[in-house]
Amino acid sequence: MHSQITELENAFKEELSQTDTSDGSAIEILRLKYLGKKGLVTDLLKGMGQLSAEEKPTFGKLVNDLKVSVQTAIETAQEIAKKAALARSLESGKIDISLPGEGYHKGSTHPLYDIREEVIDFFYGMGFKVDLGRDIETDWYNFEALNTPKDHPSRDMQDTFYLAEGVMLRTHTSGTQIHYMENHKPPLRMVALGHVFRVDSDATHAPMFQQCEGLVVDENISFAQLKGTLSLFAKKLFGENIKTRFRPSFFPFTEPSAELDVSCVFCGGAGCRRCKGTGWMEIGGCGSVDPAVFANVGIDSEKYTGFAFGFGLDRIAMLRHHIPEISLLTSNDQRFLGQF
Ligand code: PHE
């Protein structure tokens, strides 16, 4: 009987020494094997029934001692396992504060929006009223009242998206001039900003782009004032060093008419690939209001004169930010927009 106890004790010690004490479940298996309801130590206690009355106390004490020592050893091992588990979870949950953060995307305003705001700011400061006009115009506002009758060859300059007979997506913001003069008496100063639409598409032309229109009507308004206003505007957009050039041109609604060029923003005017070697880049059209336009809106051209201009905002944005493709401006591409 005694040897059975010693054997069991040795077997336990042997097994314990081979158990991974950092592994709680391995210790639990060992505990059940020895101390569980059908465990080896429990079995010994159960077997005591067959012993004689004299043997029982000594044997009982020895088995009990064994049970206590097994229990103590198991508890010690469980403590170790618990600590090991804690150490493991601390290790795996460790935060390396030296690692770079996840980063975030900062929102910014669209380059076209910024230019719009600047244009409004500039002209508002000079006493111009701001009008948005409308995207859909009739033939009268988009062409006819602007001195462009149906058979006028200049209609070919702007390929039109027609919505119905005589109704179209506006091809320019100039129709806003007519609406404005129909509803306001001179003296008047206004700028209109908005989308315009043309059947056109390549690297620098899009079927939809934005224009800014300007109109000034008063007594004694001259071409010199137009030049002064737009030269200042160009400086505001491109900086003090920009040079301007008014190149004779034609628009049915202005006479005389001019194209406004600014010195090339890429080469400073020396001539490069972007300005096709000319040193200049076109940003818009302008001119003195044609008396025929005044006649269409009932303004006395003997008393009043005026000037008008129209710029492409997309073109200005492209020049200012060196954007190679106009379509990027409406691409909604985060990689593009994130640069502003
Ligand atoms: N509407 C003309 C265009 O779209 C620009 C312009 C506006 C020219 C006003 C003269 C006066 O090209």
Side-chain angles (χ1 to χ4, degrees):
M1 268 305 197
H2 288 193
S3 65
Q4 233 182 321
I5 295 175
T6 325
E7 261 170 41
L8 196 56
E9 189 171 10
N10 288 339
F12 173 73
K13 281 183 179 154
E14 175 66 20
E15 269 196 76
L16 181 64
S17 73
Q18 279 167 19
T19 303
D20 177 5
T21 44
S22 69
D23 180 357
S25 54
I27 295 163
E28 181 59 10
I29 290 169
L30 191 63
R31 189 186 70 79
L32 289 172
K33 181 170 178 184
Y34 285 86
L35 301 176
K37 264 192 198 147
K38 291 176 185 162
L40 296 170
V41 178
T42 321
D43 275 355
L44 271 187
L45 282 168
K46 280 184 195 154
M48 275 174 59
Q50 290 139 15
L51 296 175
S52 64
E54 306 89 74
E55 282 175 313
K56 264 183 193 168
T58 0
F59 188 75
K61 185 178 178 320
L62 288 173
V63 180
N64 214 40
D65 286 350
L66 173 64
K67 189 182 169 186
V68 170
S69 89
V70 168
Q71 226 157 19
T72 315
I74 293 271
E75 277 163 19
T76 311
Q78 280 169 336
E79 268 317 300
I80 295 171
K82 234 188 196 166
K83 281 190 184 138
L86 179 66
R88 273 197 303 270
S89 93
L90 284 176
E91 183 59 35
S92 68
K94 208 157 102 182
I95 294 168
D96 182 353
I97 56 164
S98 70
L99 286 174
E102 275 193 9
Y104 61 94
H105 294 292
K106 198 163 138 261
S108 61
T109 47
H110 193 279
L112 278 175
Y113 177 84
D114 290 342
I115 288 173
R116 248 181 97 99
E117 289 295 292
E118 275 178 51
V119 169
I120 291 174
D121 189 53
F122 176 82
F123 285 107
Y124 196 75
M126 300 220 298
F128 285 60
K129 291 269 173 3
V130 178
D131 196 321
L132 298 180
R134 57 211 74 196
D135 288 350
I136 296 171
E137 289 286 17
T138 59
D139 200 86
W140 170 255
Y141 290 100
N142 198 74
F143 291 124
E144 202 96 17
L146 288 162
N147 198 29
T148 319
K150 288 225 162 46
D151 55 355
H152 199 285
S154 81
R155 284 205 182 195
D156 294 344
M157 282 162 69
Q158 303 171 359
D159 262 326
T160 311
F161 286 110
Y162 282 96
L163 301 175
E165 179 70 31
V167 183
M168 66 212 65
L169 293 175
R170 63 176 171 189
T171 57
H172 54 179
T173 43
S174 296
T176 315
Q177 288 183 36
I178 304 300
H179 287 286
Y180 202 81
M181 287 188 284
E182 280 179 350
N183 295 311
H184 300 81
K185 293 271 150 284
L188 48 91
R189 268 175 284 188
M190 74 103 201
V191 272
L193 299 104
H195 291 99
V196 301
F197 309 84
R198 292 180 196 179
V199 186
D200 204 356
S201 182
D202 60 31
T204 54
H205 297 87
M208 180 187 79
F209 59 101
Q210 292 191 47
Q211 275 191 337
C212 131
E213 186 87 13
L215 174 71
V216 173
V217 181
D218 201 348
E219 292 176 39
N220 303 316
I221 295 294
S222 71
F223 202 91
Q225 285 159 333
L226 164 66
K227 284 184 78 174
T229 307
L230 295 188
S231 298
L232 209 60
F233 178 57
K235 281 191 167 51
K236 159 87 176 166
L237 288 176
F238 298 108
E240 277 302 312
N241 295 326
I242 205 81
K243 288 193 278 293
T244 45
R245 174 173 86 168
F246 292 80
R247 185 163 38 82
S249 185
F250 171 80
F251 297 100
F253 33 93
T254 47
E255 184 59 36
S257 301
E259 215 89 54
L260 174 61
D261 295 342
V262 292
S263 46
C264 176
V265 295
F266 298 98
C267 64
C272 68
R273 187 172 53 87
R274 312 273 193 136
C275 60
K276 299 191 179 84
T278 63
W280 297 97
M281 289 185 145
E282 180 200 319
I283 64 165
C286 58
S288 297
V289 180
D290 194 300
V293 174
F294 281 148
N296 286 333
V297 291
I299 289 179
D300 179 1
S301 58
E302 291 300 320
K303 185 171 178 200
Y304 294 106
T305 48
F307 66 76
F309 55 86
F311 297 114
L313 298 187
D314 303 63
R315 173 72 63 88
I316 291 169
M318 289 172 78
L319 291 180
R320 186 184 286 168
H321 300 294
H322 299 192
I323 298 166
E325 291 262 346
I326 192 169
S327 59
L328 283 167
L329 287 165
T330 45
S331 64
N332 222 10
D333 188 333
Q334 176 79 50
R335 290 167 302 177
F336 169 73
L337 295 172
Q339 297 173 39
F340 299 98

